[in-house]
Amino acid sequence: MAQAPSAPAEGAGSGSPEAGTHPDRAYAGDQHAAPASGRPEAGRQAAPAAGRPETDPLRKAPAPAPGHAPGVDDAHRREQPSAPGPVPGHPNHRPDTPAPANGDRPLAHSADGKGPAPQRPEPRGGLLMGRPFGVPVYVAPSWFLVAALITWVFGGQLERVLPELGAARYLVSLFFAVAFYASVLVHELAHTVAALRFKLPVRRIQLQFFGGVSEIEKEAETPGREFVLAFVGPLLSLVLAGAFYAAAQTVEPGTVPGVLLAGLMISNLIVAAFNLLPGLPLDGGRMLRAVVWKITGKPMAGTVAAAWVGRALAVSVLIGLPLLTQSGALGTEAADNVGMDTVLDALLAAILAAIIWTGAGNSLRMARLREHLPELRARALTRRAVPVETDTPLSEALRRANAAGARALVVVDADGQPLSLVREAAIAGVPEHRRPWVAVSGLAQDLTDGMRVSAELSGEELLDALRATPATEYLVVEETGEIYGVLSAADVERAFVKAMARPS
């Protein structure tokens, strides 16, 4: 399962007030606003407010946080921030343009000098299989590798149990692999239905290496819901194991149906038992987190406890699984020497341990992000802007902005109503000697409704609003409709990365 502060990624949006008649309002903390005419007083420098970004707008932002590891198994809830443009994975996220050699400070951020930056399609996650309950289900390419491995291994077992099948045993084994992942899908659908019941958006379900992932975009509001959300997956796996056991009683043992039903019963029992282990990122870890959360009243305390138990589980799997298989405790023949089977067991244990360890670490990182999300406030991150009319030369617009201490330009009509935002990289792409002959309207991106955001937005609501309309700049307005300034996606990204790096 995936939970994100949108979040994750994978929330409630916010209305965007229409701009009013105050295009030259300075940002919070400014002691003076630009004159109503839109022409700031010459030589006046407005100091940025406390908490405002004061870095060069073209300075390269810190590297975004790395992506998250794939799910451990069919019950793992992968966490990822479903942040908007400013965070990694946003369609417009790209390295900043180098600062120009001239003295004019670029005032926005984009990809080139013309038109809005192209948007890349959101990663789909593999082959789309359907949309049960309106949630897309994807099969990742890694699944086909695992299906081939299951077909080969189970086919070898069928050769000992049903030698009369011959080469047809691999067809039977392939059917088992598909049926097993159908059980995994049922497990994930249990998580999905519970999430939808609690009004938590589910971005997608993905079947992949070692199982599946339900990407839930928001965190459960209470520990009770968190517990239920985690428990329904293993519960459905246990129900499926019982159903396959009951069906196996109706067929003759030692036949193809009998072997398939017995294999599916055992595999679902293993899935349920593994997921009930009390460590993140497994469902049992989510359940432990909910219990600690309920006792302490602190979600972060539950996450820390369950994550460290998850890391202990990773070490136990790394060391214990090869020892158990070599000793014969798992039903295999004990081996005194190191053979190919022992090496494969050790490799499997290392992969499982690495995924569990990484998932536990990601859970800690995402919990820390949720703690710091309220620090992302549109009012604190907004750049001061000055209004300019469409035919204003770029050199004149930059002179006004520098005189006012502003870092953004808003193109307005004759009545002072905002029309578009001048993009930072578009300015950087114009040589200084040509700026007196280039109008700002040719470097601006037209405003859409989604590019107007309220100055009161913060945290998850801010990220949701920006994610709903990916762009490089946004016009920030007061509740009254007057212009407050311009919010750069690059500035939000820097604040996002800074929040991720700050200790809890």
Side-chain angles (χ1 to χ4, degrees):
M1 312 279 294
Q3 291 182 338
S6 141
E10 356 72 305
S14 173
S16 299
E18 295 299 320
T21 58
H22 303 278
D24 31 33
R25 165 110 180 200
Y27 54 66
D30 287 330
Q31 301 301 316
H32 307 283
S37 65
R39 297 178 179 272
E41 299 171 3
R44 191 191 66 202
Q45 298 293 331
R52 293 264 166 196
E54 298 189 39
T55 57
D56 190 316
L58 288 186
R59 183 175 299 168
K60 186 174 180 64
H68 306 292
V72 162
D73 54 76
D74 54 294
H76 170 215
R77 292 187 296 169
R78 182 163 60 105
E79 297 194 7
Q80 63 178 32
S82 50
V87 298
H90 180 270
N92 291 321
H93 174 70
R94 56 182 50 81
D96 292 352
T97 307
N102 55 70
D104 291 316
R105 292 199 308 171
L107 305 174
H109 176 75
S110 183
D112 52 30
K114 298 182 180 180
Q119 296 185 5
R120 294 174 297 187
E122 180 182 349
R124 294 173 58 86
L127 179 64
L128 178 64
M129 301 300 294
R131 295 179 178 271
F133 307 103
V135 177
V137 176
Y138 294 99
V139 175
S142 60
W143 176 86
F144 296 95
L145 175 63
V146 177
L149 180 62
I150 292 176
T151 300
W152 177 63
V153 173
F154 194 67
Q157 295 176 349
L158 286 177
E159 186 177 13
R160 294 192 294 269
V161 179
L162 298 170
E164 65 275 11
L165 287 178
R169 67 182 182 273
Y170 291 108
L171 291 177
V172 176
S173 184
L174 177 61
F175 178 84
F176 170 79
V178 174
F180 168 69
Y181 268 86
S183 301
V184 171
L185 177 59
V186 172
H187 178 118
E188 294 303 325
L189 286 174
H191 291 304
T192 296
V193 171
L196 296 177
R197 175 67 178 81
F198 295 144
K199 301 187 184 304
L200 302 176
V202 182
R203 183 187 183 204
R204 66 180 178 181
I205 297 174
Q206 187 182 52
L207 300 180
Q208 54 183 225
F209 191 70
F210 280 120
V213 176
S214 296
E215 296 185 6
I216 301 175
E217 295 186 343
K218 291 181 71 68
E219 188 179 51
E221 297 177 353
T222 65
R225 290 186 174 185
E226 173 79 351
F227 189 93
V228 171
L229 196 58
F231 181 62
V232 291
L235 177 62
L236 256 292
S237 293
L238 290 173
V239 170
L240 286 176
F244 287 128
Y245 174 78
Q249 305 309 306
T250 64
V251 300
E252 183 178 351
T255 62
V256 170
V259 171
L260 285 175
L261 290 172
L264 291 171
M265 176 198 70
I266 294 173
S267 61
N268 276 277
L269 281 175
I270 294 174
V271 166
F274 188 73
N275 276 277
L276 287 173
L277 292 175
L280 288 173
L282 305 175
D283 285 329
R286 298 288 172 187
M287 295 161 64
L288 174 61
R289 175 181 183 271
V291 171
V292 177
W293 177 4
K294 179 67 175 179
I295 294 173
T296 64
K298 299 178 180 179
M300 186 64 181
T303 301
V304 171
W308 279 105
V309 173
R311 287 176 169 175
L313 282 174
V315 175
S316 299
V317 168
L318 179 63
I319 299 175
L321 184 58
L323 293 178
L324 288 175
T325 54
Q326 191 171 16
S327 65
L330 298 181
T332 58
E333 294 184 2
D336 295 330
N337 58 344
V338 178
M340 182 57 66
D341 290 342
T342 304
V343 173
L344 291 177
D345 291 337
L347 178 61
L348 175 62
I351 294 174
L352 281 174
I355 294 176
I356 295 174
W357 182 280
T358 303
N362 284 339
S363 297
L364 281 174
R365 187 171 61 87
M366 293 311 304
R368 183 171 67 248
L369 168 63
R370 292 190 186 99
E371 277 197 328
H372 295 304
L373 265 183
E375 300 174 12
L376 299 180
R377 299 185 300 274
R379 190 175 295 277
L381 295 172
T382 299
R383 298 178 176 185
R384 183 178 183 179
V386 294
V388 292
E389 295 185 350
T390 56
D391 58 351
T392 304
L394 177 58
S395 59
E396 171 62 15
L398 292 176
R399 185 194 66 78
R400 297 181 192 178
N402 289 331
R407 299 177 61 211
L409 298 173
V410 179
V411 179
V412 298
D413 60 17
D415 296 324
Q417 296 299 313
L419 300 175
S420 55
L421 302 177
V422 180
R423 292 170 296 110
E424 188 172 80
I427 298 173
V430 179
E432 187 173 4
H433 67 276
R434 294 191 59 243
R435 293 180 178 183
W437 291 273
V438 176
V440 292
S441 58
L443 308 174
Q445 180 177 357
D446 292 339
L447 284 171
T448 62
D449 289 340
M451 291 173 63
R452 301 171 188 259
V453 299
S454 170
E456 302 303 322
L457 291 182
S458 64
E460 191 170 325
E461 288 187 348
L462 174 61
L463 297 185
D464 287 340
L466 303 194
R467 187 178 58 146
T469 306
T472 53
E473 293 90 21
Y474 301 84
L475 180 68
V476 181
V477 295
E478 295 279 14
E479 292 181 347
T480 59
E482 61 182 329
I483 295 176
Y484 184 71
V486 172
L487 179 64
S488 169
D491 290 341
V492 182
E493 179 177 4
R494 293 184 184 99
F496 185 91
V497 174
K498 184 178 180 180
M500 293 288 290
R502 186 179 301 117
S504 298

